[in-house]
Amino acid sequence: MLKGIYTPIVTPFAEDESIDYGKLKHNLDLLAKTDLDGIVVLGSNGEFVYLTHAEKLELIKFCIENFTREKRIIVGTSYDSTLETISFCKEAAELGADAALILPPHYYKGSMNEEVLYNHFVDVADESPIPVMLYNMPGNTGINMSSKLIARLASHPNIVGIKDTSGNIVQLSEIVRDTDDDFVVFAGNAGYLLPALTVGARGATVALGNILPNECCQLVKLVKKGKLEEARELQLKLIEINFIVTGGMGVPALKAGMDMLGYQGGIPRRPLRPLEEDKKQVVKAALGKLGVL
């Protein structure tokens, strides 16, 4: 069901920090015309941790009503509570989401051993009306889900894949090796998209897709065609700008880059701050080097 490139869309905010649905509609219209296979609503780049639950439901509803149904919509439904995660999966399903993307609970991470995590995800998958994708993001959660744990969870009929943002290609390779072919392994960052694809990842969910969606999709196409040298060249070109809008300057830089390329990023919600002018010039220089401005 899931393959190719998805992008976790940003949530544009107006000056008063309310969600700017006009800007969001503009972005959805443009992304619908790209080669993306789908989008992720309420992903990390959507600043989901800064949204109220009511805003989250409103955002899901708006995106499903205003994005092409020819592409799939995955929704982030993570809460630290198992009960609340289950409830949110059911609400997202009712609104029309195709799948749920779920982080491990991590506030009490000292107690989150593999058995606790296993039971959490199985309990959620048992009751979720839509397929579940695991989301391994140790940089933010402080928890790395091992390949052994993921292989155990992959046997559940309603756990269909994983987005792995660890950057550990050995671990990602082990996941591909130890799971069935119908278990979808996605890279979680465009910085290692090519290595991930070459060891068997089915695609990726990448922030860079907000500003360079077709370039990310082109890399997948080149690998499928066996044009690895061209894929390597493209991967190397994307590394700098990808780092800037992810691990380097993050969401504020991603939103600034969107503004430069005809999308509408809007401002971040506090405590994040809009990108300073000197840093905007760094983003602009990187995009200029790619020849996309």
Side-chain angles (χ1 to χ4, degrees), residues 67-284:
F67 190 61
T68 174
R69 295 309 289 160
E70 295 178 2
K71 302 178 188 289
R72 297 192 182 275
I73 296 177
I74 301 172
V75 173
T77 58
S78 302
Y79 277 104
D80 260 31
S81 157
T82 303
L83 288 177
E84 199 163 8
T85 303
I86 291 170
S87 176
F88 197 11
C89 286
K90 291 177 179 178
E91 290 175 313
E94 288 176 5
L95 291 171
D98 293 305
L101 181 66
I102 304 176
L103 289 162
H106 51 275
Y107 184 81
Y108 297 109
K109 58 177 171 285
S111 298
M112 295 297 109
N113 59 48
E114 295 215 338
E115 203 59 32
V116 171
L117 293 174
Y118 176 81
N119 288 327
H120 169 76
F121 281 110
V122 167
D123 289 347
V124 171
D126 281 345
E127 296 197 49
S128 174
I130 50 178
V132 168
M133 280 197 80
L134 310 172
Y135 186 2
N136 189 38
M137 194 179 194
N140 284 34
T141 65
I143 292 174
N144 180 55
M145 298 170 64
S146 71
S147 57
K148 181 180 179 181
L149 172 60
I150 293 162
R152 283 182 68 198
L153 289 168
S155 65
H156 192 289
N158 202 34
I159 297 178
V160 300
I162 182 169
K163 172 184 177 179
D164 190 345
T165 315
S166 69
N168 186 334
I169 293 298
V170 174
Q171 177 171 288
L172 192 143
S173 303
E174 290 171 344
I175 296 168
V176 173
R177 180 196 67 193
D178 296 339
T179 56
D180 293 338
D181 289 343
D182 60 355
F183 185 77
V184 179
V185 178
F186 272 9
N189 190 295
Y192 52 89
L193 177 54
L194 176 57
L197 292 171
T198 57
V199 297
R202 196 81 57 84
T205 302
V206 293
L208 194 62
N210 281 285
I211 56 174
L212 298 174
N214 290 335
E215 286 80 356
C216 294
C217 294
Q218 177 65 11
L219 203 156
V220 175
K221 292 176 184 176
L222 289 171
V223 172
K224 286 183 176 180
K225 293 177 181 178
K227 297 181 178 180
L228 295 184
E229 182 56 32
E230 289 181 47
R232 185 185 71 85
E233 292 175 4
L234 179 55
Q235 174 70 85
L236 294 176
K237 288 179 181 178
L238 296 178
I239 286 176
E240 181 182 6
I241 185 61
N242 178 72
F243 176 74
I244 289 171
V245 302
T246 56
M249 303 177 193
V251 172
L254 180 62
K255 287 187 165 185
M258 292 177 69
D259 290 338
M260 295 173 193
L261 292 173
Y263 296 92
Q264 295 181 4
I267 64 169
R269 183 173 272 185
R270 292 176 296 173
L272 292 179
R273 295 288 179 175
L275 202 64
E276 297 92 334
E277 193 58 41
D278 60 331
K279 292 181 179 178
K280 284 183 182 179
Q281 294 307 313
V282 174
V283 176
K284 187 174 183 180

Side-chain angles (χ1 to χ4, degrees), residues 55-71:
E55 286 177 323
K56 291 177 183 180
L57 294 176
E58 189 178 65
L59 197 65
I60 296 168
K61 186 174 185 291
F62 184 88
C63 290
I64 288 173
E65 290 177 349
N66 289 275
F67 190 61
T68 174
R69 295 309 289 160
E70 295 178 2
K71 302 178 188 289

Side-chain angles (χ1 to χ4, degrees), residues 44-57:
S44 300
N45 292 286
E47 298 173 72
F48 77 94
V49 292
Y50 299 154
L51 300 173
T52 67
H53 191 72
E55 286 177 323
K56 291 177 183 180
L57 294 176

